[in-house]
């Protein structure tokens, strides 16, 4: 598969996920094209879903160059300490994210794997990932979802925006074009509903919903971890 020919940084080599060291320098130009210009609107939906009106520790998984991570940081109340972490397996992505972070105390980026997050249990109030789960095979999807459960505090919430079962013809065209362009079986998995299956086979099995759908093939998944005393 062509993806294996791309150079991968040492941490990226430890995952079977589709990592993007090679695309990092162009990523901020390519991402708006891939979403047909709807990237900012979609990011706003994710930020709104996270309800960041109170101080919260937030984790962005598969953060790429950190555009949404910075937006999440800026959406948090400015009069309280903020901790927002972005992780990505591609060290080239993280290098760019760190460069673009500017002066934002508490905004951190780390090269790390979603399926083996370098954080202790119950470290975050919120987690998010956008356009990331279609880079993981089914087993990694389940592992990454279990990791999100582990690092979230009781009562914590996560928002995941990703390719899902298309619900319009145009959406099906977009989703399948992505699959044929990148020859990425993980995209076909999402189109066939395997991200939903992964959620069902993870600790989130009865704790997730789809509050909104977008562009004919994307779903915004909402995951809510119960408070400790909830059965
Ligand atoms: C399409 S980009 C999404 C970036 C960003 N979230 C956005 O919305 O633009 C997917 C990212 O997932 C990263 N990735 C792939 N497998 C990973 C893994 N196992 N752990 C962490 N990141 C991974 C890739 O390196 C890539 O930067």
């Amino acid at each position: 598969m062509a993806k294996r020919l791309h150079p991968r940084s040492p941490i990226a080599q430890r995952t079977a996920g589709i990592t993007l060291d090679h695309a990092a320098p162009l990523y901020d130009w390519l991402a708006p094209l891939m979403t047909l210009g709807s990237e900012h609107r979609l990011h706003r939906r994710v930020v709104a879903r996270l309800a960041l009106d109170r101080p919260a520790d937030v984790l962005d998984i598969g953060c790429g160059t950190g555009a949404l991570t910075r937006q999440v940081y800026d959406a948090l109340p400015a009069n309280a300490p903020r901790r927002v972490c972005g992780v990505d397996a591609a060290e080239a992505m993280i290098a760019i994210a760190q460069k673009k972070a500017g002066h934002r105390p508490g905004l951190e980026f780390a090269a790390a794997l979603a399926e083996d997050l370098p954080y202790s249990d119950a470290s975050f109030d919120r987690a998010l990932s956008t356009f990331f789960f279609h880079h993981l095979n089914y087993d990694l999807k389940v592992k990454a979802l279990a990791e999100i459960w582990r690092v979230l505090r009781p009562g914590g919430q996560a928002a995941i925006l990703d390719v899902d079962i298309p619900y319009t013809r145009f959406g099906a065209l977009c989703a399948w074009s992505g699959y044929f362009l990148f020859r990425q079986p993980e995209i076909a998995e999402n189109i066939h509903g395997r991200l939903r299956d992964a959620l069902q086979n993870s600790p989130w099995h009865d704790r997730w919903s789809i509050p909104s759908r977008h562009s004919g093939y994307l779903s915004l998944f909402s995951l809510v971890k119960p408070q400790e005393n909830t059965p």
Side-chain angles (χ1 to χ4, degrees):
M1 217 29 98
K3 68 198 177 200
R4 298 287 169 225
L5 300 177
H6 294 301
R8 308 206 303 161
S9 53
I11 291 181
Q13 286 174 26
R14 289 173 29 211
T15 183
I18 309 301
T19 55
L20 297 184
D21 277 297
H22 59 286
L26 291 177
Y27 189 77
D28 286 342
W29 281 276
L30 290 177
L33 293 179
M34 304 298 300
T35 53
L36 303 176
S38 53
E39 191 198 16
H40 294 302
R41 179 176 56 83
L42 294 168
H43 280 180
R44 279 198 301 276
R45 294 300 291 254
V46 174
V47 171
R49 171 60 37 190
L50 289 170
L52 300 171
D53 49 333
R54 273 174 262 171
D57 295 332
V58 188
L59 177 64
D60 183 1
I61 300 144
C63 65
T65 56
L68 182 54
T69 332
R70 294 192 296 279
Q71 202 174 319
V72 163
Y73 180 96
D74 295 339
L76 282 163
N79 53 0
R82 285 174 269 185
R83 179 170 176 246
V84 178
C85 303
V87 296
D88 199 289
E91 294 172 48
M93 287 287 195
I94 292 300
I96 293 174
Q98 283 167 337
K99 223 179 268 175
K100 292 192 162 191
H103 181 67
R104 290 182 173 89
L107 177 62
E108 300 160 18
F109 290 97
L113 304 186
E115 62 269 33
D116 185 18
L117 290 171
Y119 302 104
S120 36
D121 299 359
S123 316
F124 295 95
D125 305 292
R126 298 281 185 273
L128 65 136
S129 92
T130 56
F131 300 108
F132 162 65
F133 272 90
H134 68 272
H135 284 241
L136 302 184
N137 64 34
Y138 179 76
D139 287 346
L140 285 182
K141 288 187 205 328
V142 176
K143 282 186 186 154
L145 288 167
E147 279 293 85
I148 295 174
W149 175 276
R150 183 183 68 76
V151 301
L152 275 180
R153 299 184 176 121
Q157 294 178 28
I160 294 173
L161 178 78
D162 223 300
V163 177
D164 190 26
I165 303 168
Y167 60 96
T168 65
R169 282 191 190 162
F170 180 69
L173 180 69
C174 292
W176 284 112
S177 302
Y179 166 72
F180 285 112
L181 185 63
F182 297 110
R183 306 299 301 165
Q184 203 169 302
E186 295 82 353
I187 295 177
E189 281 187 2
N190 279 40
I191 294 171
H192 289 305
R194 294 292 276 162
L195 179 51
R196 297 177 188 209
D197 294 345
L199 281 158
Q200 280 306 113
N201 286 305
S202 79
W204 298 103
H205 61 96
D206 54 352
R207 304 283 177 185
W208 65 274
S209 60
I210 300 179
S212 60
R213 307 214 61 203
H214 305 275
S215 308
Y217 70 106
L218 299 171
S219 288
L220 178 58
F221 295 88
S222 171
L223 286 54
V224 181
K225 187 168 179 175
Q227 297 289 349
E228 241 150 6
N229 54 2
T230 312

